Amino acid sequence: MFCRLKTSAVVAMAAMVLFGAGLAYWGYGMHRVWGKDADGDLRSRYQEYVLFSDHIYPHRRVAEAAGRSGVRMHTVYPPYSFPMFAVVFWAPSFIMGRVTFQILSLAGLGVLIWYGISQLRFAGRAAAWLGAAVPFAFSGHSTAIAIGQFSIICTALIILQIILLGHGRPILAGCCWALAMLKPQIALPFAILFLVRPQWRGLAAGVAILGSFTAFTLWWTGVMPWDFWYQGVESHKLTFITRELYGAGLWVDALGINPRLAVLGALGVIALCAVAMMQRRVREKMTMETTAALCAVLGYTLFYHVHYDNMMLLPLLVPLLACLLRRPNIALFAATGLMAFTVYAPPRIPATEWIVLLAPTAALCVLLAQHFRQARMDQQSAA
């Protein structure tokens, strides 16, 4: 009894610390927005949407190929994104767009908190509070809300995809995945989740939505598909990947790989994982939670992203904590400590870039090892 109370006290204290850190991060992020107008990324998206609403594709070379001159924008967002921007920029005012973006981000945070509570409350009230604090305190929230990135919203949509697939609602899950593809470096690997049971209808629905939005964008702006491909895709050297030595930018720069080849290689790894998941013997060994953790690490490690995307690791951190609360051991404590540093530490701590990149992979290996070990024990008990 004493040991149980002591553990509960430690968990409650950890939750309090995380809540304090989360309040500091969110407060600083909001101050940068309203005090310093730091949301330049959101302002760029607003300018792109204004061009799109005027039937102009917001990319200089693509617009010129369609006979439109004077466009200075060089968007890196895929064509299906611009109709999605209407949800944020429905009002003809950037300030209203900012407010809408923040409301959607807070709603997304609510989804993340609800997910954390639902996954950890089995261990008691203190663990439920920890489940709420875990997604609240991600350090990336501060930058995402400050500069106007959709990371929180897209991660929340992925969490909804996981929940809906777990409840056998593949079509709705496919809709959530398609909307989360606003940031493909977060959402793309989670297409593998549709193969766990499998639930192909959800993947088909998501792809259909993305295809429809893409077709609408090209029709609306008068851009031919081949012009978009040659001017907007084939000519892009993707040098921005190494601009920030974070995530894939680290290993692409260190190995001196052509960024285009690095992206193709990452897509190849995703495809290989999808093929493996199609094998029945592989699917039977994985759960929705472990597969989601794998998808999170694939996206985090293989694709370009910056510190403000680190909440995409929530599908790894929550199952890791759940496993630790059920069966604590040294390996799980070490993996959780590494993950805590990765997702809660402020950005740009010197000489920690490779730790932040590789820690999720190490934590995933520990989680999968614990999962397979428990599965063998359960089989032996059943026999």
Side-chain angles (χ1 to χ4, degrees), residues 304-334:
Y304 166 82
H305 61 88
V306 186
H307 171 263
Y308 48 66
D309 289 336
N310 69 0
M311 64 283 301
M312 68 186 291
L313 290 171
L314 186 65
L316 167 63
L317 182 56
V318 168
L320 189 68
L321 280 168
C323 195
L324 177 63
L325 290 170
R326 287 190 179 98
R327 297 174 296 276
N329 59 53
I330 294 176
L332 285 169
F333 273 115

Side-chain angles (χ1 to χ4, degrees), residues 114 118-119 159-170 172-173 197 199 288-289:
W114 174 67
S118 67
Q119 296 300 302
I159 294 299
L160 288 175
Q161 176 199 355
I162 295 170
I163 295 170
L164 289 166
L165 285 174
H167 286 82
R169 305 296 295 274
L172 289 176
R197 291 203 169 170
Q199 294 170 306
M288 189 66 68
E289 290 73 22

Side-chain angles (χ1 to χ4, degrees), residues 94 161 224 237 283:
F94 172 69
Q161 176 199 355
M224 295 294 104
K237 297 181 181 179
R283 288 201 309 269

